[in-house]
Amino acid sequence: MVAERHKAKRRTKRKRCPLPAIEQTPSSNSALRGETIDLGDTEVPKNGSGMRISGFESSDDQPRPIVPTEADIVEESLAKTALTKFYHHSINTSTWTVFSDMRHLRIAYVGTPISNLAKLVDEEAEFSGCPNTSLHLPFPSIRPVRPWKPPKSLPLVEWLSTSFADDISALPAKDVRDNLVDSFFTKIHPGFPVVDEHEFRTQYEDKNDPPPLLLLQAVLLTGAHASDHPMVAQSRSLVKMALFRRAKALFDLHYENDRMHIVQAALLFTWHFEGADDVSSNAYYWSGIAGRVAFGLGMHRNLAQTAANRMPLEDRPMYRRIWWTLFQVDVLASLHHGRPPMIDLDECDQPPLTVDDFVENGMVNQNINVEYCVQNATLCGHMILILKSSTPGALKRFRLAPGSSRAAQMNLEAHLASWYLQLPASLANFKSNDADFWSQQLQLHYNLALLHVHRLPHFPSMTSDQAISIGTCHAAAEAIVKLFEDISAVRNIGNCWFTALTLLLAVALQFSHEARAAARQGSTILAIQAQNGLERILPIMVEVSRFWSSAEAIFNLYEDLAKQLKQHIQSSFDFQALDLSPAAFQSPINSEHPTLRYETQDPQQYEDNPGLGSVSVSDRDLQAMFGAGQADSFPDMNYAGMQDWLAFPLNEFAE
């Protein structure tokens, strides 16, 4: 009862501060006269062209709609090529001035050795013979240059028209909205339970007491990530962009007073990346925001049922669920970027999750995978040790104490092995035909941890230790590819966390390293096998890019490298030395072996480099950098007609 009164008090507080009245005034412009069209249960104002304007006023300046424009589409396309441009022009150079516009250069901090970006830079240093000692590298800027004086047409809030109240309160059409809510609770929420499903759904059906607007917009954004609604699927990245801009505008306006909802929204924002070179709109950024607010709420302190605390018992489970989800995001985002985690467990005394933390309306929510939530949080506790083993201080200690790095690696292995052997049967059963998605997601995170443990540097470098690590990294990469293929076979790629990007880049780095190392040693067959492994992951990148658009940047880079690896292997292989006599065709290996079929190429157009050093840049590479010819592979750019269904006024919410 105390908890219910506590929640009712929050709702009353919201009702006392309603949204500004949305006044629909007739415009002097005849194109904006008050025509309406009946779409389901909602009447939508239309302009003369048949497209609803998401907030408008009489003005000589054209307002910027909250729905993405064609300029946004061009900007997003450029962001997807930034990684390729960085790879070709920034890594293998000693100069800072490698991009044409140096006034608006971005700085890329490669992170600690645990990060994929640091591994990518080290790979190039190893195979090109150009050692890189810089942790900061130039990165191409894709954002337009702002005028010194803001123009009069600049809206009060970025991305919004001058009638911003209409914009931030606009919602998708009812059928789309319902689909987004269901998609969130069926596909994302089971492993990311930061919302009380019973309370949210009850409010969602009550037009007199709807969910907090910030939380609603954030749930719609996250639901759009995994939705299979045809109108969402055909332009997913743009739909997410529109929903994110509405939710973030509310966030920036401090429109929500309940700080728990602010933490929830920030965590839900981690399901959207604004672009490849946005440091202020990714999981690491939003987990930091959520963490600071959570610390202010004391979410990191003991809120178990037995703790001496005045907070109502019924409110504690939600705080605990949010905290441990935040912890997982913080660790995994830190691993992704190679940056320090914000949460130090020594500063926290919040006990681990239990099944009682998932009780909603008097019973355990059966839609939540409780075991996954508990075990993934435990695994992330071990991942923190991996992060701490790659810090500047740890590397310094390893250099001063030879052999200590191998001891640390063995200790990390022991932690992972102990955790793995104690997994419940439901999560260990990830290879069966009826395997649960969340058991596969957990296995992905486990293999990611294993891969990073064996990518840690050894001091001193021992051949025997390296051989063990090479074999373990290869096995982990193969396991990750197989897991992705299994997930893809049942169409669950959209459920994957942002760590799908971490995993894809880590696997691509592993196979690329194996191919180049084998070619350097003259082992053509091993190079071909590794190159085939790299090609095997490319279709998965394409599928992941439909949900995480940043995967397209990884695809553009490694599709190009896979082709060049094949061409280098072909040019270095001595076909003239093959025995093409009839007797040779009795051998298991002959000129018709599937892995030796290549398109005819002129070896002279490529560098004679059996060691596969710095990969050259062809005209086709330059074309790929700017997205030319890539649109067919990634068709998520259907802008036309989005406003017709994506921007319905809030006062029609529950009708």
Side-chain angles (χ1 to χ4, degrees):
M1 291 300 294
V2 176
E4 289 302 318
R5 288 198 297 270
H6 182 63
K7 294 176 183 177
K9 186 177 180 180
R10 291 204 307 262
R11 298 173 192 169
T12 303
K13 189 185 298 183
R14 290 200 305 271
K15 292 180 181 179
R16 290 174 182 168
C17 302
L19 274 172
I22 302 175
E23 182 179 353
Q24 300 289 352
T25 58
S27 171
S28 58
N29 188 342
S30 60
L32 299 179
R33 61 185 182 273
E35 298 181 23
T36 60
I37 180 172
D38 184 14
L39 290 179
D41 298 323
T42 309
E43 290 189 344
V44 187
K46 292 183 60 183
N47 63 6
S49 64
M51 181 174 287
R52 192 221 183 247
I53 303 299
S54 172
F56 53 83
E57 292 181 355
S58 296
S59 173
D60 295 334
D61 296 311
Q62 181 68 30
R64 291 178 62 189
I66 197 166
V67 173
T69 64
E70 293 184 10
D72 294 320
I73 297 174
V74 172
E75 189 172 296
E76 182 180 357
S77 298
L78 290 175
K80 294 175 181 178
T81 65
L83 180 62
T84 303
K85 293 165 68 177
F86 170 77
Y87 177 87
H88 284 295
H89 295 293
S90 184
I91 294 179
N92 290 323
T93 181
S94 59
T95 181
W96 192 256
T97 57
V98 294
F99 298 110
S100 57
D101 188 359
M102 296 302 298
R103 296 172 302 167
H104 308 286
L105 188 71
R106 296 181 70 90
I107 305 301
Y109 166 58
V110 300
T112 60
I114 202 71
S115 76
N116 281 326
L117 189 56
K119 181 66 174 177
L120 178 65
V121 172
D122 288 344
E123 280 285 293
E124 284 308 298
E126 177 182 350
F127 289 101
S128 67
C130 300
N132 175 73
T133 58
S134 177
L135 296 175
H136 304 82
L137 299 173
F139 197 91
S141 178
I142 65 166
R143 300 300 179 218
V145 179
R146 300 288 190 185
W148 180 81
K149 182 179 180 180
K152 293 181 179 180
S153 59
L154 189 70
L156 297 178
V157 180
E158 181 72 8
W159 308 313
L160 303 180
S161 71
T162 51
S163 183
F164 67 94
D166 286 344
D167 285 321
I168 61 179
S169 59
L171 297 170
K174 183 68 163 61
D175 67 312
V176 179
R177 192 164 66 233
D178 291 346
N179 177 272
L180 298 184
V181 171
D182 289 338
S183 296
F184 169 73
F185 282 112
T186 59
K187 299 180 179 181
I188 305 298
H189 187 255
F192 203 87
V194 297
V195 179
D196 186 313
E197 181 176 4
H198 178 266
E199 181 181 10
F200 185 93
R201 286 191 180 274
T202 300
Q203 293 179 327
Y204 183 73
E205 299 299 331
D206 185 353
K207 65 179 181 181
N208 296 317
D209 183 25
L213 183 55
L214 172 62
L215 184 60
L216 174 60
Q217 295 283 28
V219 165
L220 294 178
L221 162 67
T222 312
H225 177 87
S227 172
D228 56 4
H229 193 288
M231 299 183 75
V232 176
Q234 68 179 351
S235 301
R236 190 182 310 278
S237 61
L238 298 182
V239 172
K240 289 179 65 181
M241 186 187 299
L243 294 171
F244 173 74
R245 289 178 173 183
R246 292 172 187 166
K248 187 175 185 295
L250 286 164
F251 194 96
D252 292 339
L253 284 170
H254 303 285
Y255 195 77
E256 177 57 57
N257 292 324
D258 190 324
R259 289 183 293 169
M260 185 184 77
H261 296 325
I262 293 175
V263 178
Q264 290 170 309
L267 285 173
L268 293 174
F269 287 170
T270 64
W271 287 84
H272 175 69
F273 283 4
E274 270 284 273
D277 84 330
D278 251 323
V279 297
S280 60
S281 185
N282 56 38
Y284 187 78
Y285 173 83
W286 286 114
S287 64
I289 296 293
R292 293 301 182 192
V293 180
F295 283 142
L297 286 171
M299 286 186 173
H300 61 302
R301 302 311 306 270
N302 189 350
L303 288 173
Q305 298 291 304
T306 57
N309 194 298
R310 296 179 65 181
M311 177 179 284
L313 294 177
E314 292 81 0
D315 281 0
R316 299 185 189 186
M318 195 69 253
Y319 269 52
R320 286 168 42 73
R321 277 162 52 177
I322 293 173
W323 169 257
W324 284 113
T325 304
L326 166 61
F327 171 71
Q328 296 168 56
V329 173
D330 179 48
V331 171
L332 292 169
S334 298
L335 193 71
H336 178 83
H337 292 284
R339 300 171 188 167
M342 181 187 59
I343 297 174
D344 184 349
L345 291 180
D346 286 341
E347 303 286 346
C348 313
D349 62 355
Q350 187 69 274
L353 289 168
T354 67
V355 67
D356 292 335
D357 294 315
F358 301 90
V359 173
E360 298 178 7
N361 194 36
M363 61 185 68
V364 175
N365 187 339
Q366 297 298 320
N367 296 328
I368 298 176
N369 193 314
V370 176
E371 290 181 335
Y372 169 82
C373 297
V374 172
Q375 292 299 329
N376 199 55
T378 305
L379 176 61
C380 287
H382 298 310
M383 287 185 176
I384 276 194
L385 301 178
I386 301 175
L387 289 167
K388 290 184 178 296
S389 296
S390 65
T391 62
L395 296 180
K396 181 179 180 179
R397 289 191 293 273
F398 291 156
R399 291 189 180 96
L400 294 176
S404 61
S405 60
R406 176 56 182 160
Q409 185 183 69
M410 293 176 66
N411 183 54
L412 294 171
E413 278 188 319
H415 278 276
L416 291 176
S418 175
W419 169 84
Y420 193 90
L421 292 173
Q422 296 180 57
L423 280 179
S426 61
L427 294 176
N429 184 28
F430 65 94
K431 295 182 179 180
S432 64
N433 295 331
D434 59 344
D436 178 75
F437 164 77
W438 296 105
S439 67
Q440 296 169 327
Q441 176 73 80
L442 187 67
Q443 292 294 327
L444 284 173
H445 288 167
Y446 164 72
N447 282 282
L448 179 64
L450 202 59
L451 190 62
H452 278 83
V453 165
H454 285 274
R455 282 195 342 197
L456 292 172
H458 294 163
F459 303 103
S461 179
M462 302 292 291
T463 303
S464 58
D465 294 341
Q466 288 180 334
I468 295 173
S469 290
I470 289 172
T472 305
C473 287
H474 176 81
E478 288 285 351
I480 290 170
V481 175
K482 181 61 169 63
L483 284 163
F484 268 125
E485 290 173 341
D486 291 343
I487 293 172
S488 175
V490 292
R491 300 183 179 181
N492 279 336
I493 286 291
N495 301 13
C496 292
W497 286 30
F498 67 89
T499 48
L501 302 172
T502 323
L503 288 153
L504 289 175
L505 185 53
V507 170
L509 281 165
Q510 179 62 29
F511 286 138
S512 174
H513 172 83
E514 290 178 6
R516 298 167 77 174
R520 169 181 282 181
Q521 297 169 4
S523 180
T524 304
I525 296 300
L526 291 180
I528 291 172
Q529 290 176 346
Q531 186 263 332
N532 286 343
L534 184 59
E535 289 187 340
R536 185 179 163 196
I537 199 70
L538 294 178
I540 298 173
M541 293 180 184
V542 174
E543 187 167 358
V544 170
S545 71
R546 297 191 177 102
F547 303 93
W548 294 103
S549 58
S550 298
E552 186 174 346
I554 305 174
F555 173 86
N556 287 337
L557 174 61
Y558 280 98
E559 182 196 37
D560 185 44
L561 290 180
K563 292 176 181 178
Q564 294 192 40
L565 282 171
K566 179 182 288 187
Q567 292 160 356
H568 277 292
I569 293 171
Q570 179 192 12
S571 63
S572 65
F573 194 81
D574 187 2
F575 284 94
Q576 300 299 323
L578 287 176
D579 182 2
L580 300 180
S581 64
F585 285 89
Q586 304 301 317
S587 172
I589 301 179
N590 54 58
S591 60
E592 293 299 320
H593 192 280
T595 57
L596 297 182
R597 293 177 183 169
Y598 299 105
E599 298 176 2
T600 302
Q601 302 286 347
D602 181 7
Q604 297 302 318
Q605 64 179 316
Y606 303 103
E607 297 177 354
D608 184 14
N609 187 0
L612 292 181
S614 180
V615 181
S616 61
V617 183
S618 66
D619 291 340
R620 185 166 182 174
D621 299 330
L622 295 173
Q623 186 183 43
M625 289 179 194
F626 296 95
Q630 302 296 324
D632 292 340
S633 298
F634 301 92
D636 190 8
M637 287 292 174
N638 189 356
Y639 170 70
M642 283 177 58
Q643 285 182 323
D644 288 341
W645 57 270
L646 193 56
F648 278 46
L650 180 65
N651 56 354
E652 304 288 350
F653 171 71
E655 297 182 5

